[in-house]
mmCIF file of all heavy atoms in Angstrom:
data_model
loop_
_atom_site.group_PDB
_atom_site.id
_atom_site.type_symbol
_atom_site.label_atom_id
_atom_site.label_comp_id
_atom_site.label_asym_id
_atom_site.label_seq_id
_atom_site.Cartn_x
_atom_site.Cartn_y
_atom_site.Cartn_z
ATOM 1 N N LEU A 9 0.809 -1.214 0.000
ATOM 2 C CA LEU A 9 0.000 0.000 0.000
ATOM 3 C C LEU A 9 0.841 1.262 0.000
ATOM 4 O O LEU A 9 0.336 2.345 -0.267
ATOM 5 C CB LEU A 9 -0.915 0.011 1.226
ATOM 6 C CG LEU A 9 -1.899 -1.153 1.335
ATOM 7 C CD1 LEU A 9 -2.645 -1.062 2.653
ATOM 8 C CD2 LEU A 9 -2.871 -1.152 0.172
ATOM 9 N N VAL A 10 2.137 1.140 0.315
ATOM 10 C CA VAL A 10 2.989 2.310 0.444
ATOM 11 C C VAL A 10 3.102 3.112 -0.843
ATOM 12 O O VAL A 10 2.926 4.331 -0.852
ATOM 13 C CB VAL A 10 4.384 1.921 0.977
ATOM 14 C CG1 VAL A 10 5.318 3.135 0.985
ATOM 15 C CG2 VAL A 10 4.258 1.321 2.361
ATOM 16 N N PRO A 11 3.406 2.469 -2.002
ATOM 17 C CA PRO A 11 3.500 3.265 -3.230
ATOM 18 C C PRO A 11 2.210 4.003 -3.549
ATOM 19 O O PRO A 11 2.231 5.146 -4.001
ATOM 20 C CB PRO A 11 3.828 2.218 -4.300
ATOM 21 C CG PRO A 11 4.460 1.094 -3.552
ATOM 22 C CD PRO A 11 3.732 1.063 -2.242
ATOM 23 N N ALA A 12 1.069 3.336 -3.311
ATOM 24 C CA ALA A 12 -0.206 3.976 -3.588
ATOM 25 C C ALA A 12 -0.425 5.177 -2.694
ATOM 26 O O ALA A 12 -0.986 6.192 -3.102
ATOM 27 C CB ALA A 12 -1.340 2.966 -3.396
ATOM 28 N N PHE A 13 0.058 5.094 -1.436
ATOM 29 C CA PHE A 13 -0.093 6.203 -0.494
ATOM 30 C C PHE A 13 0.663 7.442 -0.977
ATOM 31 O O PHE A 13 0.137 8.540 -1.023
ATOM 32 C CB PHE A 13 0.416 5.780 0.882
ATOM 33 C CG PHE A 13 0.565 6.922 1.839
ATOM 34 C CD1 PHE A 13 -0.553 7.486 2.443
ATOM 35 C CD2 PHE A 13 1.814 7.438 2.140
ATOM 36 C CE1 PHE A 13 -0.423 8.537 3.329
ATOM 37 C CE2 PHE A 13 1.948 8.485 3.014
ATOM 38 C CZ PHE A 13 0.821 9.031 3.614
ATOM 39 N N PHE A 14 1.948 7.234 -1.397
ATOM 40 C CA PHE A 14 2.731 8.364 -1.862
ATOM 41 C C PHE A 14 2.207 8.920 -3.176
ATOM 42 O O PHE A 14 2.267 10.111 -3.428
ATOM 43 C CB PHE A 14 4.205 7.970 -2.015
ATOM 44 C CG PHE A 14 4.913 7.862 -0.707
ATOM 45 C CD1 PHE A 14 5.350 6.642 -0.228
ATOM 46 C CD2 PHE A 14 5.143 8.991 0.059
ATOM 47 C CE1 PHE A 14 5.992 6.555 0.988
ATOM 48 C CE2 PHE A 14 5.794 8.914 1.268
ATOM 49 C CZ PHE A 14 6.216 7.683 1.730
ATOM 50 N N ALA A 15 1.669 8.034 -4.053
ATOM 51 C CA ALA A 15 1.133 8.494 -5.328
ATOM 52 C C ALA A 15 -0.077 9.389 -5.131
ATOM 53 O O ALA A 15 -0.368 10.268 -5.937
ATOM 54 C CB ALA A 15 0.755 7.290 -6.197
ATOM 55 N N ALA A 16 -0.792 9.163 -4.019
ATOM 56 C CA ALA A 16 -2.006 9.941 -3.761
ATOM 57 C C ALA A 16 -1.724 11.293 -3.147
ATOM 58 O O ALA A 16 -2.609 12.144 -3.076
ATOM 59 C CB ALA A 16 -2.938 9.146 -2.833
ATOM 60 N N LEU A 17 -0.499 11.517 -2.683
ATOM 61 C CA LEU A 17 -0.180 12.803 -2.078
ATOM 62 C C LEU A 17 -0.218 13.911 -3.118
ATOM 63 O O LEU A 17 0.160 13.719 -4.274
ATOM 64 C CB LEU A 17 1.221 12.765 -1.445
ATOM 65 C CG LEU A 17 1.354 11.934 -0.166
ATOM 66 C CD1 LEU A 17 2.808 11.900 0.257
ATOM 67 C CD2 LEU A 17 0.490 12.487 0.945
ATOM 68 N N ALA A 18 -0.676 15.089 -2.699
ATOM 69 C CA ALA A 18 -0.719 16.226 -3.609
ATOM 70 C C ALA A 18 0.685 16.634 -3.993
ATOM 71 O O ALA A 18 1.627 16.446 -3.221
ATOM 72 C CB ALA A 18 -1.438 17.398 -2.937
ATOM 73 N N PRO A 19 0.877 17.193 -5.191
ATOM 74 C CA PRO A 19 2.216 17.648 -5.602
ATOM 75 C C PRO A 19 2.801 18.621 -4.587
ATOM 76 O O PRO A 19 2.146 19.550 -4.158
ATOM 77 C CB PRO A 19 1.932 18.356 -6.950
ATOM 78 C CG PRO A 19 0.666 17.732 -7.452
ATOM 79 C CD PRO A 19 -0.142 17.406 -6.223
ATOM 80 N N GLY A 20 4.061 18.416 -4.239
ATOM 81 C CA GLY A 20 4.732 19.299 -3.285
ATOM 82 C C GLY A 20 4.622 18.828 -1.856
ATOM 83 O O GLY A 20 5.359 19.266 -1.000
ATOM 84 N N THR A 21 3.671 17.905 -1.567
ATOM 85 C CA THR A 21 3.492 17.459 -0.189
ATOM 86 C C THR A 21 4.688 16.676 0.292
ATOM 87 O O THR A 21 5.142 16.826 1.418
ATOM 88 C CB THR A 21 2.224 16.597 -0.070
ATOM 89 O OG1 THR A 21 1.113 17.355 -0.537
ATOM 90 C CG2 THR A 21 2.008 16.186 1.366
ATOM 91 N N ILE A 22 5.231 15.829 -0.563
ATOM 92 C CA ILE A 22 6.373 15.009 -0.166
ATOM 93 C C ILE A 22 7.558 15.896 0.198
ATOM 94 O O ILE A 22 8.239 15.690 1.196
ATOM 95 C CB ILE A 22 6.749 14.041 -1.300
ATOM 96 C CG1 ILE A 22 5.610 13.040 -1.527
ATOM 97 C CG2 ILE A 22 8.033 13.292 -0.955
ATOM 98 C CD1 ILE A 22 5.873 12.079 -2.668
ATOM 99 N N GLY A 23 7.788 16.957 -0.627
ATOM 100 C CA GLY A 23 8.885 17.859 -0.326
ATOM 101 C C GLY A 23 8.682 18.576 0.978
ATOM 102 O O GLY A 23 9.608 18.794 1.738
ATOM 103 N N ALA A 24 7.439 18.948 1.273
ATOM 104 C CA ALA A 24 7.145 19.653 2.515
ATOM 105 C C ALA A 24 7.403 18.768 3.714
ATOM 106 O O ALA A 24 7.743 19.237 4.793
ATOM 107 C CB ALA A 24 5.686 20.123 2.521
ATOM 108 N N LEU A 25 7.244 17.455 3.527
ATOM 109 C CA LEU A 25 7.489 16.523 4.625
ATOM 110 C C LEU A 25 8.965 16.176 4.760
ATOM 111 O O LEU A 25 9.354 15.433 5.642
ATOM 112 C CB LEU A 25 6.689 15.234 4.401
ATOM 113 C CG LEU A 25 5.162 15.382 4.466
ATOM 114 C CD1 LEU A 25 4.501 14.056 4.086
ATOM 115 C CD2 LEU A 25 4.721 15.809 5.846
ATOM 116 N N GLY A 26 9.780 16.683 3.836
ATOM 117 C CA GLY A 26 11.206 16.408 3.908
ATOM 118 C C GLY A 26 11.561 15.048 3.369
ATOM 119 O O GLY A 26 12.606 14.493 3.702
ATOM 120 N N LEU A 27 10.715 14.456 2.508
ATOM 121 C CA LEU A 27 10.953 13.114 2.020
ATOM 122 C C LEU A 27 11.759 13.092 0.729
ATOM 123 O O LEU A 27 12.179 12.038 0.290
ATOM 124 C CB LEU A 27 9.606 12.404 1.793
ATOM 125 C CG LEU A 27 8.735 12.286 3.045
ATOM 126 C CD1 LEU A 27 7.384 11.703 2.687
ATOM 127 C CD2 LEU A 27 9.412 11.425 4.092
ATOM 128 N N THR A 28 11.945 14.230 0.099
ATOM 129 C CA THR A 28 12.726 14.302 -1.125
ATOM 130 C C THR A 28 13.318 15.694 -1.239
ATOM 131 O O THR A 28 12.695 16.678 -0.840
ATOM 132 C CB THR A 28 11.856 14.002 -2.363
ATOM 133 O OG1 THR A 28 12.663 14.195 -3.534
ATOM 134 C CG2 THR A 28 10.667 14.925 -2.437
ATOM 135 N N PRO A 29 14.529 15.833 -1.806
ATOM 136 C CA PRO A 29 15.134 17.151 -1.957
ATOM 137 C C PRO A 29 14.711 17.855 -3.235
ATOM 138 O O PRO A 29 15.274 18.885 -3.587
ATOM 139 C CB PRO A 29 16.637 16.826 -1.982
ATOM 140 C CG PRO A 29 16.702 15.477 -2.611
ATOM 141 C CD PRO A 29 15.461 14.737 -2.112
ATOM 142 N N ALA A 30 13.709 17.319 -3.959
ATOM 143 C CA ALA A 30 13.336 17.895 -5.252
ATOM 144 C C ALA A 30 12.939 19.356 -5.148
ATOM 145 O O ALA A 30 13.211 20.154 -6.037
ATOM 146 C CB ALA A 30 12.186 17.085 -5.857
ATOM 147 N N ALA A 31 12.274 19.730 -4.029
ATOM 148 C CA ALA A 31 11.795 21.105 -3.889
ATOM 149 C C ALA A 31 12.929 22.110 -3.811
ATOM 150 O O ALA A 31 12.737 23.291 -4.026
ATOM 151 C CB ALA A 31 10.913 21.227 -2.650
ATOM 152 N N ARG A 32 14.153 21.654 -3.508
ATOM 153 C CA ARG A 32 15.257 22.576 -3.355
ATOM 154 C C ARG A 32 15.631 23.256 -4.661
ATOM 155 O O ARG A 32 16.337 24.241 -4.670
ATOM 156 C CB ARG A 32 16.465 21.845 -2.780
ATOM 157 C CG ARG A 32 16.161 21.197 -1.435
ATOM 158 C CD ARG A 32 17.301 21.319 -0.494
ATOM 159 N NE ARG A 32 16.952 20.895 0.835
ATOM 160 C CZ ARG A 32 17.838 20.792 1.805
ATOM 161 N NH1 ARG A 32 19.082 21.075 1.576
ATOM 162 N NH2 ARG A 32 17.458 20.425 3.006
#
């Protein structure tokens, strides 16, 4: 279920959570 959970996150949410450096 993990991939589906991250796929459902709104754009930019992952970066805000500190899960990826893409927002930098």
Side-chain angles (χ1 to χ4, degrees):
L9 300 175
V10 175
F13 168 76
F14 285 112
L17 288 175
T21 303
I22 295 178
L25 294 174
L27 300 174
T28 175
R32 302 219 171 173

